[in-house]
Amino acid sequence: MTIHFDLAALRKTKWYEFALRALFGGSITVFTGVIAHRYGPVVGGLFLAFPAIFPASATLVEKHAKQEMARAGLDGTMRGRDAASLDARGAAMGTLGLMAFATVVWKLLPQHSAWLVLAGATVCWFAVAATAWRIRRAI
Amino acid sequence: MLAPATRGMRGIIERHAGPHSGKDSLAGQLIFRFLVGGLLVAAFSSLGDVFKPRGFAGLFGAAPSVALSTLTLTIATNGKSYAAIEAHSMIAGAVAFFIYAFCAVQILFRRKPSAVVVTSVLLTVWLAVAFSLWFVWLR
């Protein structure tokens, strides 16, 4: 199966769903800053990989899959949970990329340009996550 | 004319997230963190909406959006060495996220509870694994 993108899919997401994600993301970023300020960078750093957005996105994936089945007059409960399960499988592969991201920042940030390291670490995240996803599919 | 350090994105971050004293500047920092974190999380999760197949889109559920916003602001406020310590701890958080996502896949695959219940209850697993790793590895 090839990877492709469909910008029209953004129309399925309602404005309040975008707002909800932004609210979760903003809140966890503030929370991480407060934790690091109160307990130091070692504890604060744990929360940089907190599953902040995943619960909201998996719930939306399940809801959208159920709605598609409901439009065809069918009960989409099982389809919704399958879709959420697939989303979680992808997220699990994404976490391998997160480990690579964190390692690159940890090792390279003190000696190199911050912008370059953050950009390189993001590329690393995507490369590792996409490779893990491809290997998982091939097995 | 603005000084070079206060121009562009770097200048904006330093003005809002740089080291200041007083309650007003702390509130300003928190609002700035909230806005930057919210925007990045919403942007990465929108990427997850447009990519197909579903499993590949799931990678964006574990995107480094919170890490990017937090580390950028931390570098501006506390410096690169402090941010590198946070990134080191983030590896433990990412391992906890992997176990969290793996458990979510297994439970959702059995189609019993809904995604919102599974992903919310399993946050306790993330906390338990992350703090266990902190206790044995980072403390």
Side-chain angles (χ1 to χ4, degrees), chain B residues 6 25 32 51 70 73 87-88 95 108 110 113 115 120 123 136:
Chain B
T6 58
S25 60
F32 192 66
F51 276 103
T70 303
L73 300 171
H88 185 209
V95 172
L108 286 166
R110 282 163 182 74
S120 303
L123 288 176
V136 298

Side-chain angles (χ1 to χ4, degrees), chain A residues 1-7 9-10 13 18 21-23 25-30 32-34 36 40-43 45-55 58-59 61-62 78 81-96 98-99 101-103 105-106 109-110 112-115 118 122 125-126 129-130 133, chain B residues 9-10 13 30 33-34 37-39 41-42 44-46 49-73 75 80-95 97-98 100-102 104-105 108-109 111-116 119-120 123 126-127 130-131 134 138:
Chain A
M1 187 182 280
T2 54
I3 297 160
H4 62 279
F5 71 93
D6 172 21
L7 284 175
L10 282 176
T13 310
F18 283 115
R21 291 165 175 180
L23 186 73
S27 303
I28 191 65
T29 307
V30 168
T32 306
V34 171
V42 177
V43 174
L46 293 173
F47 287 87
L48 297 188
F50 184 76
I53 194 62
F54 177 71
T59 304
V61 164
E62 182 186 41
M78 295 303 139
R81 285 173 195 170
D82 284 346
S85 174
L86 268 178
D87 198 55
R89 188 171 293 173
M93 300 300 107
T95 61
L96 301 178
L98 271 189
M99 290 174 213
F101 174 95
T103 306
V105 175
W106 171 44
L109 186 61
H112 298 87
S113 152
W115 298 108
L118 290 178
T122 306
W125 162 75
F126 186 74
W133 180 80
Chain B
M9 185 55 76
R10 186 191 171 99
I13 291 168
L30 293 179
R33 272 181 184 272
F34 182 84
L39 278 174
V41 166
F44 270 103
S45 57
S46 297
D49 287 341
V50 298
F51 276 103
K52 297 278 181 296
R54 186 69 254 160
F56 183 80
L59 297 180
F60 293 89
S65 40
V66 171
L68 276 172
S69 52
T70 303
L71 287 170
T72 305
L73 300 171
I75 290 164
K80 293 198 286 187
S81 299
Y82 190 96
I85 297 169
E86 286 192 336
H88 185 209
S89 293
M90 187 189 163
I91 299 171
V95 172
F97 196 166
F98 176 80
Y100 164 91
F102 180 79
V105 172
L108 286 166
F109 189 67
R111 297 171 166 181
K112 290 272 163 57
S114 66
V116 67
T119 55
S120 303
L123 288 176
W126 182 88
L127 284 168
F131 279 96
W134 166 78
L138 299 166

